[in-house]
mmCIF file of all heavy atoms in Angstrom:
data_model
loop_
_atom_site.group_PDB
_atom_site.id
_atom_site.type_symbol
_atom_site.label_atom_id
_atom_site.label_comp_id
_atom_site.label_asym_id
_atom_site.label_seq_id
_atom_site.Cartn_x
_atom_site.Cartn_y
_atom_site.Cartn_z
ATOM 1 N N ASN A 1 -46.028 103.676 26.880
ATOM 2 C CA ASN A 1 -44.849 104.154 26.167
ATOM 3 C C ASN A 1 -44.206 105.363 26.846
ATOM 4 O O ASN A 1 -42.989 105.532 26.787
ATOM 5 C CB ASN A 1 -45.208 104.496 24.722
ATOM 6 C CG ASN A 1 -45.496 103.265 23.891
ATOM 7 O OD1 ASN A 1 -44.961 102.184 24.149
ATOM 8 N ND2 ASN A 1 -46.339 103.417 22.880
ATOM 9 N N ALA A 2 -45.006 106.199 27.477
ATOM 10 C CA ALA A 2 -44.464 107.361 28.170
ATOM 11 C C ALA A 2 -43.547 106.943 29.312
ATOM 12 O O ALA A 2 -42.561 107.622 29.612
ATOM 13 C CB ALA A 2 -45.586 108.248 28.689
ATOM 14 N N LYS A 3 -43.869 105.829 29.952
ATOM 15 C CA LYS A 3 -43.059 105.315 31.054
ATOM 16 C C LYS A 3 -42.065 104.254 30.607
ATOM 17 O O LYS A 3 -41.297 103.746 31.427
ATOM 18 C CB LYS A 3 -43.954 104.742 32.143
ATOM 19 C CG LYS A 3 -44.867 105.759 32.802
ATOM 20 C CD LYS A 3 -45.713 105.109 33.887
ATOM 21 C CE LYS A 3 -46.604 106.125 34.568
ATOM 22 N NZ LYS A 3 -47.442 105.499 35.628
ATOM 23 N N ASN A 4 -42.105 103.908 29.320
ATOM 24 C CA ASN A 4 -41.228 102.877 28.783
ATOM 25 C C ASN A 4 -41.366 101.581 29.582
ATOM 26 O O ASN A 4 -40.374 100.927 29.934
ATOM 27 C CB ASN A 4 -39.772 103.343 28.786
ATOM 28 C CG ASN A 4 -39.034 102.966 27.512
ATOM 29 O OD1 ASN A 4 -39.629 102.774 26.457
ATOM 30 N ND2 ASN A 4 -37.717 102.855 27.603
ATOM 31 N N THR A 5 -42.601 101.218 29.841
ATOM 32 C CA THR A 5 -42.899 100.086 30.702
ATOM 33 C C THR A 5 -43.946 99.183 30.061
ATOM 34 O O THR A 5 -44.907 99.668 29.452
ATOM 35 C CB THR A 5 -43.402 100.560 32.071
ATOM 36 O OG1 THR A 5 -42.397 101.371 32.691
ATOM 37 C CG2 THR A 5 -43.717 99.384 32.979
ATOM 38 N N VAL A 6 -43.753 97.887 30.208
ATOM 39 C CA VAL A 6 -44.728 96.911 29.759
ATOM 40 C C VAL A 6 -45.236 96.151 30.976
ATOM 41 O O VAL A 6 -44.487 95.913 31.931
ATOM 42 C CB VAL A 6 -44.124 95.965 28.698
ATOM 43 C CG1 VAL A 6 -42.988 95.140 29.278
ATOM 44 C CG2 VAL A 6 -45.204 95.073 28.106
ATOM 45 N N TYR A 7 -46.512 95.776 30.950
ATOM 46 C CA TYR A 7 -47.150 95.132 32.078
ATOM 47 C C TYR A 7 -47.738 93.787 31.669
ATOM 48 O O TYR A 7 -48.039 93.540 30.505
ATOM 49 C CB TYR A 7 -48.279 96.000 32.637
ATOM 50 C CG TYR A 7 -47.861 97.394 33.010
ATOM 51 C CD1 TYR A 7 -47.988 98.440 32.106
ATOM 52 C CD2 TYR A 7 -47.337 97.670 34.271
ATOM 53 C CE1 TYR A 7 -47.609 99.727 32.444
ATOM 54 C CE2 TYR A 7 -46.952 98.955 34.615
ATOM 55 C CZ TYR A 7 -47.089 99.978 33.702
ATOM 56 O OH TYR A 7 -46.718 101.249 34.037
ATOM 57 N N LEU A 8 -47.910 92.941 32.650
ATOM 58 C CA LEU A 8 -48.639 91.698 32.461
ATOM 59 C C LEU A 8 -49.605 91.546 33.624
ATOM 60 O O LEU A 8 -49.188 91.269 34.749
ATOM 61 C CB LEU A 8 -47.702 90.496 32.385
ATOM 62 C CG LEU A 8 -48.374 89.162 32.068
ATOM 63 C CD1 LEU A 8 -48.928 89.167 30.640
ATOM 64 C CD2 LEU A 8 -47.397 87.998 32.242
ATOM 65 N N GLN A 9 -50.883 91.766 33.353
ATOM 66 C CA GLN A 9 -51.916 91.562 34.352
ATOM 67 C C GLN A 9 -52.316 90.100 34.335
ATOM 68 O O GLN A 9 -52.748 89.579 33.304
ATOM 69 C CB GLN A 9 -53.129 92.443 34.057
ATOM 70 C CG GLN A 9 -54.286 92.267 35.030
ATOM 71 C CD GLN A 9 -53.949 92.727 36.425
ATOM 72 O OE1 GLN A 9 -53.392 93.806 36.602
ATOM 73 N NE2 GLN A 9 -54.278 91.910 37.424
ATOM 74 N N MET A 10 -52.178 89.436 35.463
ATOM 75 C CA MET A 10 -52.447 88.013 35.562
ATOM 76 C C MET A 10 -53.590 87.794 36.541
ATOM 77 O O MET A 10 -53.465 88.088 37.734
ATOM 78 C CB MET A 10 -51.202 87.251 36.020
ATOM 79 C CG MET A 10 -49.977 87.507 35.152
ATOM 80 S SD MET A 10 -48.563 86.459 35.607
ATOM 81 C CE MET A 10 -48.235 87.079 37.259
ATOM 82 N N ASN A 11 -54.699 87.298 36.044
ATOM 83 C CA ASN A 11 -55.872 87.012 36.850
ATOM 84 C C ASN A 11 -56.140 85.516 36.870
ATOM 85 O O ASN A 11 -55.648 84.767 36.032
ATOM 86 C CB ASN A 11 -57.096 87.746 36.298
ATOM 87 C CG ASN A 11 -56.954 89.244 36.316
ATOM 88 O OD1 ASN A 11 -56.330 89.816 37.209
ATOM 89 N ND2 ASN A 11 -57.555 89.911 35.333
ATOM 90 N N SER A 12 -56.951 85.102 37.835
ATOM 91 C CA SER A 12 -57.333 83.691 37.958
ATOM 92 C C SER A 12 -56.117 82.778 37.903
ATOM 93 O O SER A 12 -56.090 81.778 37.178
ATOM 94 C CB SER A 12 -58.337 83.321 36.856
ATOM 95 O OG SER A 12 -59.494 84.128 36.921
ATOM 96 N N LEU A 13 -55.130 83.114 38.676
ATOM 97 C CA LEU A 13 -53.877 82.373 38.646
ATOM 98 C C LEU A 13 -54.065 80.936 39.098
ATOM 99 O O LEU A 13 -54.862 80.641 39.993
ATOM 100 C CB LEU A 13 -52.837 83.065 39.509
ATOM 101 C CG LEU A 13 -52.217 84.314 38.872
ATOM 102 C CD1 LEU A 13 -51.531 85.170 39.919
ATOM 103 C CD2 LEU A 13 -51.221 83.907 37.779
ATOM 104 N N LYS A 14 -53.313 80.060 38.472
ATOM 105 C CA LYS A 14 -53.343 78.637 38.756
ATOM 106 C C LYS A 14 -51.970 78.182 39.218
ATOM 107 O O LYS A 14 -50.960 78.798 38.872
ATOM 108 C CB LYS A 14 -53.747 77.855 37.503
ATOM 109 C CG LYS A 14 -55.072 78.272 36.890
ATOM 110 C CD LYS A 14 -55.324 77.519 35.594
ATOM 111 C CE LYS A 14 -56.632 77.931 34.956
ATOM 112 N NZ LYS A 14 -56.877 77.210 33.682
ATOM 113 N N PRO A 15 -51.905 77.093 39.972
ATOM 114 C CA PRO A 15 -50.591 76.584 40.394
ATOM 115 C C PRO A 15 -49.643 76.342 39.224
ATOM 116 O O PRO A 15 -48.433 76.540 39.369
ATOM 117 C CB PRO A 15 -50.931 75.284 41.118
ATOM 118 C CG PRO A 15 -52.294 75.529 41.671
ATOM 119 C CD PRO A 15 -53.000 76.344 40.610
ATOM 120 N N GLU A 16 -50.167 75.948 38.080
ATOM 121 C CA GLU A 16 -49.321 75.705 36.928
ATOM 122 C C GLU A 16 -48.742 76.980 36.322
ATOM 123 O O GLU A 16 -47.901 76.905 35.423
ATOM 124 C CB GLU A 16 -50.071 74.910 35.851
ATOM 125 C CG GLU A 16 -51.429 75.477 35.501
ATOM 126 C CD GLU A 16 -52.556 74.779 36.235
ATOM 127 O OE1 GLU A 16 -52.420 74.544 37.457
ATOM 128 O OE2 GLU A 16 -53.567 74.455 35.594
ATOM 129 N N ASP A 17 -49.175 78.143 36.798
ATOM 130 C CA ASP A 17 -48.572 79.402 36.379
ATOM 131 C C ASP A 17 -47.288 79.696 37.140
ATOM 132 O O ASP A 17 -46.595 80.669 36.816
ATOM 133 C CB ASP A 17 -49.547 80.562 36.576
ATOM 134 C CG ASP A 17 -50.774 80.461 35.693
ATOM 135 O OD1 ASP A 17 -50.627 80.101 34.504
ATOM 136 O OD2 ASP A 17 -51.877 80.759 36.186
ATOM 137 N N THR A 18 -46.985 78.907 38.134
ATOM 138 C CA THR A 18 -45.777 79.112 38.925
ATOM 139 C C THR A 18 -44.543 79.030 38.043
ATOM 140 O O THR A 18 -44.330 78.038 37.342
ATOM 141 C CB THR A 18 -45.686 78.076 40.053
ATOM 142 O OG1 THR A 18 -46.764 78.282 40.974
ATOM 143 C CG2 THR A 18 -44.370 78.205 40.804
ATOM 144 N N ALA A 19 -43.741 80.077 38.069
ATOM 145 C CA ALA A 19 -42.552 80.146 37.229
ATOM 146 C C ALA A 19 -41.823 81.445 37.513
ATOM 147 O O ALA A 19 -42.342 82.332 38.194
ATOM 148 C CB ALA A 19 -42.926 80.081 35.743
ATOM 149 N N VAL A 20 -40.622 81.552 36.975
ATOM 150 C CA VAL A 20 -39.934 82.830 36.919
ATOM 151 C C VAL A 20 -40.350 83.497 35.621
ATOM 152 O O VAL A 20 -40.237 82.903 34.545
ATOM 153 C CB VAL A 20 -38.407 82.673 36.977
ATOM 154 C CG1 VAL A 20 -37.725 84.034 36.839
ATOM 155 C CG2 VAL A 20 -37.996 82.002 38.278
ATOM 156 N N TYR A 21 -40.837 84.712 35.721
ATOM 157 C CA TYR A 21 -41.312 85.443 34.557
ATOM 158 C C TYR A 21 -40.259 86.446 34.112
ATOM 159 O O TYR A 21 -39.717 87.196 34.922
ATOM 160 C CB TYR A 21 -42.627 86.153 34.872
ATOM 161 C CG TYR A 21 -43.801 85.216 34.902
ATOM 162 C CD1 TYR A 21 -43.946 84.296 35.934
ATOM 163 C CD2 TYR A 21 -44.761 85.230 33.887
ATOM 164 C CE1 TYR A 21 -45.009 83.409 35.953
ATOM 165 C CE2 TYR A 21 -45.824 84.355 33.902
ATOM 166 C CZ TYR A 21 -45.950 83.450 34.932
ATOM 167 O OH TYR A 21 -47.007 82.572 34.949
ATOM 168 N N TYR A 22 -39.990 86.450 32.810
ATOM 169 C CA TYR A 22 -38.954 87.295 32.233
ATOM 170 C C TYR A 22 -39.536 88.253 31.214
ATOM 171 O O TYR A 22 -40.337 87.855 30.368
ATOM 172 C CB TYR A 22 -37.886 86.451 31.538
ATOM 173 C CG TYR A 22 -37.118 85.537 32.454
ATOM 174 C CD1 TYR A 22 -37.540 84.236 32.687
ATOM 175 C CD2 TYR A 22 -35.955 85.977 33.082
ATOM 176 C CE1 TYR A 22 -36.831 83.393 33.518
ATOM 177 C CE2 TYR A 22 -35.238 85.143 33.913
ATOM 178 C CZ TYR A 22 -35.680 83.851 34.128
ATOM 179 O OH TYR A 22 -34.967 83.012 34.950
ATOM 180 N N CYS A 23 -39.099 89.482 31.271
ATOM 181 C CA CYS A 23 -39.424 90.468 30.260
ATOM 182 C C CYS A 23 -38.433 90.351 29.114
ATOM 183 O O CYS A 23 -37.261 90.011 29.322
ATOM 184 C CB CYS A 23 -39.374 91.868 30.872
ATOM 185 S SG CYS A 23 -39.791 93.213 29.741
ATOM 186 N N ASN A 24 -38.894 90.627 27.912
ATOM 187 C CA ASN A 24 -38.060 90.492 26.728
ATOM 188 C C ASN A 24 -38.311 91.629 25.755
ATOM 189 O O ASN A 24 -39.444 92.077 25.580
ATOM 190 C CB ASN A 24 -38.347 89.153 26.035
ATOM 191 C CG ASN A 24 -37.867 89.112 24.600
ATOM 192 O OD1 ASN A 24 -38.642 89.334 23.668
ATOM 193 N ND2 ASN A 24 -36.586 88.819 24.417
ATOM 194 N N VAL A 25 -37.241 92.089 25.116
ATOM 195 C CA VAL A 25 -37.363 93.040 24.016
ATOM 196 C C VAL A 25 -36.385 92.634 22.929
ATOM 197 O O VAL A 25 -35.272 92.190 23.218
ATOM 198 C CB VAL A 25 -37.113 94.494 24.477
ATOM 199 C CG1 VAL A 25 -35.702 94.667 25.029
ATOM 200 C CG2 VAL A 25 -37.365 95.469 23.328
ATOM 201 N N ARG A 26 -36.826 92.755 21.701
ATOM 202 C CA ARG A 26 -35.972 92.423 20.573
ATOM 203 C C ARG A 26 -35.565 93.702 19.870
ATOM 204 O O ARG A 26 -36.420 94.444 19.380
ATOM 205 C CB ARG A 26 -36.694 91.488 19.603
ATOM 206 C CG ARG A 26 -35.816 90.999 18.462
ATOM 207 C CD ARG A 26 -36.605 90.122 17.514
ATOM 208 N NE ARG A 26 -35.783 89.612 16.435
ATOM 209 C CZ ARG A 26 -36.233 88.930 15.399
ATOM 210 N NH1 ARG A 26 -37.533 88.660 15.313
ATOM 211 N NH2 ARG A 26 -35.399 88.515 14.459
ATOM 212 N N VAL A 27 -34.265 93.960 19.827
ATOM 213 C CA VAL A 27 -33.715 95.162 19.224
ATOM 214 C C VAL A 27 -32.697 94.752 18.174
ATOM 215 O O VAL A 27 -31.686 94.121 18.494
ATOM 216 C CB VAL A 27 -33.057 96.086 20.258
ATOM 217 C CG1 VAL A 27 -32.518 97.331 19.576
ATOM 218 C CG2 VAL A 27 -34.050 96.455 21.347
ATOM 219 N N GLN A 28 -32.972 95.107 16.934
ATOM 220 C CA GLN A 28 -32.069 94.812 15.826
ATOM 221 C C GLN A 28 -31.670 93.339 15.797
ATOM 222 O O GLN A 28 -30.490 93.002 15.647
ATOM 223 C CB GLN A 28 -30.838 95.714 15.888
ATOM 224 C CG GLN A 28 -31.169 97.184 15.686
ATOM 225 C CD GLN A 28 -29.943 98.078 15.727
ATOM 226 O OE1 GLN A 28 -29.116 97.988 16.629
ATOM 227 N NE2 GLN A 28 -29.839 98.951 14.738
ATOM 228 N N GLY A 29 -32.651 92.488 15.968
ATOM 229 C CA GLY A 29 -32.432 91.064 15.863
ATOM 230 C C GLY A 29 -31.864 90.400 17.096
ATOM 231 O O GLY A 29 -31.639 89.183 17.081
ATOM 232 N N ILE A 30 -31.636 91.137 18.163
ATOM 233 C CA ILE A 30 -31.067 90.597 19.391
ATOM 234 C C ILE A 30 -32.101 90.648 20.503
ATOM 235 O O ILE A 30 -32.739 91.674 20.712
ATOM 236 C CB ILE A 30 -29.809 91.369 19.808
ATOM 237 C CG1 ILE A 30 -28.746 91.291 18.706
ATOM 238 C CG2 ILE A 30 -29.260 90.828 21.119
ATOM 239 C CD1 ILE A 30 -27.521 92.128 18.980
ATOM 240 N N ASN A 31 -32.252 89.547 21.205
ATOM 241 C CA ASN A 31 -33.166 89.469 22.327
ATOM 242 C C ASN A 31 -32.468 89.851 23.622
ATOM 243 O O ASN A 31 -31.397 89.335 23.935
ATOM 244 C CB ASN A 31 -33.743 88.062 22.451
ATOM 245 C CG ASN A 31 -34.810 87.778 21.416
ATOM 246 O OD1 ASN A 31 -35.848 88.425 21.412
ATOM 247 N ND2 ASN A 31 -34.546 86.812 20.546
ATOM 248 N N TYR A 32 -33.099 90.734 24.376
ATOM 249 C CA TYR A 32 -32.608 91.147 25.676
ATOM 250 C C TYR A 32 -33.592 90.711 26.747
ATOM 251 O O TYR A 32 -34.805 90.735 26.541
ATOM 252 C CB TYR A 32 -32.411 92.659 25.728
ATOM 253 C CG TYR A 32 -31.351 93.160 24.782
ATOM 254 C CD1 TYR A 32 -31.670 93.496 23.479
ATOM 255 C CD2 TYR A 32 -30.025 93.290 25.188
ATOM 256 C CE1 TYR A 32 -30.700 93.943 22.594
ATOM 257 C CE2 TYR A 32 -29.055 93.734 24.317
ATOM 258 C CZ TYR A 32 -29.399 94.063 23.021
ATOM 259 O OH TYR A 32 -28.426 94.503 22.149
ATOM 260 N N TRP A 33 -33.061 90.343 27.903
ATOM 261 C CA TRP A 33 -33.869 89.790 28.981
ATOM 262 C C TRP A 33 -33.629 90.515 30.287
ATOM 263 O O TRP A 33 -32.522 90.968 30.577
ATOM 264 C CB TRP A 33 -33.551 88.309 29.189
ATOM 265 C CG TRP A 33 -33.728 87.479 27.964
ATOM 266 C CD1 TRP A 33 -32.785 87.179 27.034
ATOM 267 C CD2 TRP A 33 -34.935 86.838 27.537
ATOM 268 N NE1 TRP A 33 -33.320 86.391 26.043
ATOM 269 C CE2 TRP A 33 -34.638 86.162 26.329
ATOM 270 C CE3 TRP A 33 -36.222 86.761 28.059
ATOM 271 C CZ2 TRP A 33 -35.594 85.427 25.642
ATOM 272 C CZ3 TRP A 33 -37.174 86.027 27.370
ATOM 273 C CH2 TRP A 33 -36.860 85.373 26.181
#
């Protein structure tokens, strides 16, 4: 929270994890990407 940052640690990755990954936040009912 001090850095206003969210992380996703991904281990044991598989080929099926291949994708574009998007961060999301919902503010007052609206999703931002």
Side-chain angles (χ1 to χ4, degrees):
N1 289 331
K3 297 181 179 180
N4 222 25
T5 300
V6 64
Y7 305 93
L8 185 67
Q9 178 66 46
M10 305 186 295
N11 298 326
S12 301
L13 284 163
K14 304 175 181 179
E16 50 263 45
D17 295 318
T18 295
V20 177
Y21 284 71
Y22 296 91
C23 181
N24 162 263
V25 61
R26 185 182 182 187
V27 181
Q28 295 181 311
I30 300 175
N31 284 297
Y32 296 88
W33 304 92

